[in-house]
Amino acid sequence: MPESAWSLHPQLAKDTIDIGDLPLSRVLVIKDANYPWLLLVPRREGAVEIIDLDEVAQAQLMTEMTRVSRAVKEITKCDKLNVAALGNMVPQLHIHIIARRTSDVAWPRPVWGVAAPVPHDAQEVESFISAIRRKIWLG
């Protein structure tokens, strides 16, 4: 399907800040200062699972996941990256890239449902977004 038919799921739009678009995916930061947490959302209408993408798009998604994951790891100096495509609550295909620290509120458990989201400090999130944009070649 053409990209023009694609739109971001309303729940993802509500829960994120837009960073920009890579060739395949929209890059978003989750509105939760508990963790440095990005999403990649392939701009393909109807994609729910990675297997819904053709092989070329799957390869592009892997390239983008790798690029963003490396950037997050370098910028945050995290102890571990959690990278996953779950979609149990939001069916639109999206990839979570979460920087984890042994000192974070949920460690070593998954981040979901452990702590209420904490609003970002505006200056800190803008600095993080700028660093991410530079590292993944968006600005």
Side-chain angles (χ1 to χ4, degrees), residues 19-23 27 67 132-139:
I19 293 178
D21 288 341
L22 292 171
V27 184
R67 182 186 306 172
I132 290 290
R133 288 179 58 82
R134 281 190 305 277
K135 288 283 183 193
I136 64 173
W137 313 323
L138 285 178

Side-chain angles (χ1 to χ4, degrees), residues 82 90 109 125:
N82 289 172
V90 174
R109 298 174 310 276
V125 76

Side-chain angles (χ1 to χ4, degrees), residues 8 15-16 20 39 41 50 54 82 84 98 100 104 110 118 128 131:
L8 185 63
D15 293 344
T16 63
L39 294 181
V41 186
I50 293 172
D54 64 32
N82 289 172
I98 310 167
R100 300 296 307 275
D104 75 42
V118 173
F128 178 67

Side-chain angles (χ1 to χ4, degrees), residues 43-60:
R43 295 184 312 279
R44 294 296 183 268
E45 181 64 27
V48 175
E49 309 290 349
I50 293 172
I51 59 173
D52 294 337
L53 303 174
D54 64 32
E55 290 179 359
V56 172
Q58 288 177 28
Q60 181 63 37

Side-chain angles (χ1 to χ4, degrees), residues 5-115:
W6 179 86
S7 63
L8 185 63
H9 188 282
Q11 188 65 51
L12 296 181
K14 177 180 172 263
D15 293 344
T16 63
I17 302 165
D18 190 347
I19 293 178
D21 288 341
L22 292 171
L24 175 66
S25 303
R26 172 118 344 131
V27 184
L28 307 160
V29 62
I30 292 283
K31 294 177 182 174
D32 184 356
N34 284 312
Y35 323 93
W37 185 346
L38 299 182
L39 294 181
L40 295 180
V41 186
R43 295 184 312 279
R44 294 296 183 268
E45 181 64 27
V48 175
E49 309 290 349
I50 293 172
I51 59 173
D52 294 337
L53 303 174
D54 64 32
E55 290 179 359
V56 172
Q58 288 177 28
Q60 181 63 37
L61 180 59
M62 183 58 68
T63 297
E64 292 176 5
M65 288 168 49
T66 301
R67 182 186 306 172
V68 173
S69 294
R70 284 184 176 139
V72 168
K73 185 167 181 132
E74 186 175 325
I75 290 164
T76 67
K77 309 293 189 228
C78 61
D79 298 310
K80 178 74 175 95
L81 285 174
N82 289 172
V83 180
L86 301 172
N88 296 343
M89 300 297 289
V90 174
Q92 184 173 50
L93 176 59
H94 59 287
I95 310 300
H96 298 266
I97 300 173
I98 310 167
R100 300 296 307 275
R101 294 188 178 92
T102 57
S103 61
D104 75 42
V105 68
W107 187 267
R109 298 174 310 276
V111 297
W112 288 274
V114 173

